[in-house]
Every structure is written in C-alpha cells, then in structure tokens.
Amino acid sequence: MKLIFPSSLLLLFLVLSCSEKKTELTVSYKLPEKLDEVSGIAYINNKTFVIEDSKNKNSIYILKKNGKIDTEINIENIENEDWEDLTSDALGNVYIGNFGNNKNNRKDLSIDKISIDQLDEDSISANEKITFYYPEQTLFPPSKKELLYDCEAFFEWNGSFYLFTKNRSKGFDGTTLIYKIPNKAGHHKAQLLTTFKTCDDSKTCAITSAAISNDGSKMVLLTHTTIWLFEDFTDDYFTKGKISALELHHQSQKEAICFKDDDTILIADEKKTKDDGNIYVVSLKDLKTKS
C-alpha cells in the first residue's frame, strides 16, 4: 500500500531532519582576512593568542574580543617551517610547536618558548628551544603504510609536553601516537606512552590539535568534526580514563583548540570557504548532554 503524506507533515519531517544536523558550534567572531591559516590557539590571562602554519609569518597574534588583531609579535630568531600548535604553561609562558611533518622526513622538529614577560613587545626572540626526535622512526620518510610522524597537536602540563601525532598512512586506521617530552632546553628522545584510535576516515578523524584544562581534569583532542574528551584519568594515563566522542555536527578544517575555562572550548578553523575562518565557542557540558 502506498502511503501519501500531507505536505504539512512532509515539511515537518524535513525541518526535524535538518535540526538533527544543526551545528553545536557558536561563532564567537570572524578571524581577520590576513589570518586564513590559523593552526594554533591559546587563551592566556583573558587574551586569545593565535599562530599560522607553514610558510606564513614568524608571528604570534593577540586578538581583541571582536576578533581584530590587537598585537602582532614578530619572532626574529625562528623560522615558521611548519608551526602547527600553540600552548602555554601554568605561568603563562607560550610554546610554539614547530613540528609539522607532512612528508615524515623532517629531522629538525622543535618547540620554541616565548616567556610571558615578552608578550607585550612587538619584536622579540624566542628564549629557549626544545628539539626532539621519535626513536621509533628510523626511515625519513618511512613507508607509505607507516607515515605516523606528522604532528599538529600538543600541550604542556606539569613540566612536560604531550604530543599526539597525525596519521598520514596509507590504509588510515585512526591511530595517533602519544609522546612525552620534558619541558627543558636540549635535544630529547620522545617517550612513546601509548596509542589511541579515533576512526578509519582520514578526512574526519585525523588529530589536528590538543589541549588540557587548567585544573588538569580534562583533556581534548580535535578533529575536523569531533572533540574527543578524556576525563577521570590518573597522572598522564589519559587513555585509561573515561573517553567520549562529542560530535560537533559541523564540517570544516578545524585546526586549533584550547580551553577558555574548565568547561568552555575555543576552536579555530582555516578559511577554506567564505563561511570558515572563525573562532567558535562551545560548552563541553552542553555537548555531553546532547551526545
């Protein structure tokens, strides 16, 4: 028997279907035109700091509350080979992750420190460099099935950096390697702590940024569509606690995440379409309620 729905019911069905796919993100503000490849974000002393990725200027930008650039800090002694994430420590010092490695062939991976007392100047020099290597990588580049050593995500916590690699392997399965590096100048062997898997869709499940809350109770990983929330972990055994996949119902090239407070998240995406290139704000509590 063929069922015929009245047009009003069909319209209601379409509205409900669309509402189920409604974005959970709120645009806080549009990024300036000159910042179309934001790759890292940090929120320090009520100010938003951002950087851009490879081949852009060697600058950190402090944004006003309306998204316009307040201060551009030029860093004279380091090159933006591929800046992929930004983090800070408990004192407010800033660290740039210069470890983008799309082809898995770099041997000059580094993290550069900018002291908090330099952040009110227009032109500065990084005052500490941390370099490192992945001991599991022996070929540069490795085979196409083992392209595991790109990285776009890290944070500083309790005197160490935690890095989450971006999988570019043929036969992508969502694996990210979790490494630990001491926060001190010098050349370090990265310590492989464990692995974590998202999903097997490389377009939506590759890790692009990471952050930890100020109270250390929550850690998040970002993909283009999802926030992976880690809670109830002990020390740095992040994957031994509670893990939730919080869908954003929003597709864009999201490249940067940070905590504004212990519940509120800021996200930035690259300007691939006219609707992208924004800072978004979202509540973890709200996302968990709707998941």
Side-chain angles (χ1 to χ4, degrees):
M1 179 175 67
K2 183 177 181 181
L3 298 177
I4 301 176
F5 291 94
S7 58
S8 58
L9 289 179
L10 178 59
L11 178 60
L12 178 61
F13 171 77
L14 291 174
V15 169
L16 290 174
S17 297
C18 291
S19 66
E20 289 177 356
K21 297 179 181 179
K22 184 179 178 182
T23 176
E24 302 291 353
L25 293 180
T26 298
V27 176
S28 181
Y29 47 77
K30 196 81 175 173
L31 286 162
E33 286 295 326
K34 68 179 294 183
L35 300 181
D36 58 3
E37 290 186 315
V38 167
S39 59
I41 186 170
Y43 192 78
I44 308 164
N45 296 332
N46 298 314
K47 294 181 179 180
T48 302
F49 295 73
V50 297
I51 56 171
E52 293 191 284
D53 62 12
S54 60
K55 310 307 179 185
N56 283 291
K57 294 179 71 174
N58 308 322
S59 297
I60 297 176
Y61 301 90
I62 303 176
L63 304 181
K64 298 179 181 179
K65 292 184 178 180
N66 61 3
K68 296 185 181 299
I69 295 173
D70 182 14
T71 307
E72 178 180 346
I73 305 170
N74 179 53
I75 307 173
E76 298 175 341
N77 64 332
I78 57 174
E79 191 73 23
N80 188 346
E81 180 67 24
D82 198 352
W83 294 3
E84 285 292 358
D85 210 357
L86 191 66
T87 191
S88 62
D89 61 22
L91 299 176
N93 301 307
V94 174
Y95 301 87
I96 299 169
N98 189 359
F99 42 50
N101 191 16
N102 290 6
K103 296 180 180 180
N104 281 228
N105 60 356
R106 285 185 64 183
K107 294 184 179 181
D108 58 347
L109 307 174
S110 68
I111 297 166
D112 294 285
K113 178 181 178 180
I114 309 297
S115 295
I116 187 171
D117 57 7
Q118 297 177 281
L119 297 176
D120 57 357
E121 303 176 28
D122 294 333
S123 186
I124 62 174
S125 295
N127 55 358
E128 190 170 290
K129 181 177 288 290
I130 299 100
T131 61
F132 65 94
Y133 66 98
Y134 305 113
E136 289 72 26
Q137 182 176 6
T138 58
L139 298 175
F140 298 84
S143 71
K144 292 183 179 180
K145 293 182 179 181
E146 296 181 329
L147 296 176
L148 297 168
Y149 302 102
D150 186 16
C151 185
E152 297 185 1
F154 86 136
F155 56 77
E156 200 277 351
W157 185 50
N158 289 343
S160 295
F161 298 106
Y162 295 89
L163 283 69
F164 304 82
T165 65
K166 185 173 185 178
N167 190 330
R168 293 186 177 275
S169 302
K170 182 179 180 181
F172 178 89
D173 66 356
T175 296
T176 180
L177 308 180
I178 303 177
Y179 282 99
K180 182 178 182 178
I181 298 169
N183 181 0
K184 59 181 181 180
H187 187 58
H188 303 288
K189 177 172 73 172
Q191 176 189 357
L192 179 61
L193 297 181
T194 188
T195 63
F196 175 69
K197 285 190 178 182
T198 52
C199 75
D200 59 5
D201 181 359
S202 62
K203 293 182 179 179
T204 60
C205 293
I207 302 299
T208 59
S209 190
I212 194 165
S213 60
N214 288 334
D215 65 3
S217 67
K218 307 178 190 73
M219 186 270 283
V220 290
L221 300 179
L222 179 68
T223 75
H224 291 172
T225 62
T226 307
I227 292 175
W228 290 86
L229 173 64
F230 297 72
E231 302 173 283
D232 301 332
F233 48 82
T234 302
D235 297 324
D236 54 13
Y237 296 99
F238 304 118
T239 60
K240 299 297 184 182
K242 179 183 177 182
I243 304 173
S244 307
L246 306 179
E247 298 297 331
L248 298 172
H249 305 291
H250 181 278
Q251 177 67 52
S252 68
Q253 191 167 327
K254 300 173 186 67
E255 295 285 343
I257 192 169
C258 71
F259 280 86
K260 185 175 182 179
D261 56 45
D262 291 334
D263 177 66
T264 308
I265 295 291
L266 300 180
I267 296 172
D269 59 4
E270 289 194 5
K271 197 173 298 180
K272 296 299 182 183
T273 74
K274 63 180 178 62
D275 295 323
D276 303 334
N278 303 307
I279 299 291
Y280 305 91
V281 61
V282 63
S283 162
L284 290 177
K285 186 183 297 183
D286 288 349
L287 283 181
K288 289 170 68 176
T289 300
K290 295 173 184 177
S291 295

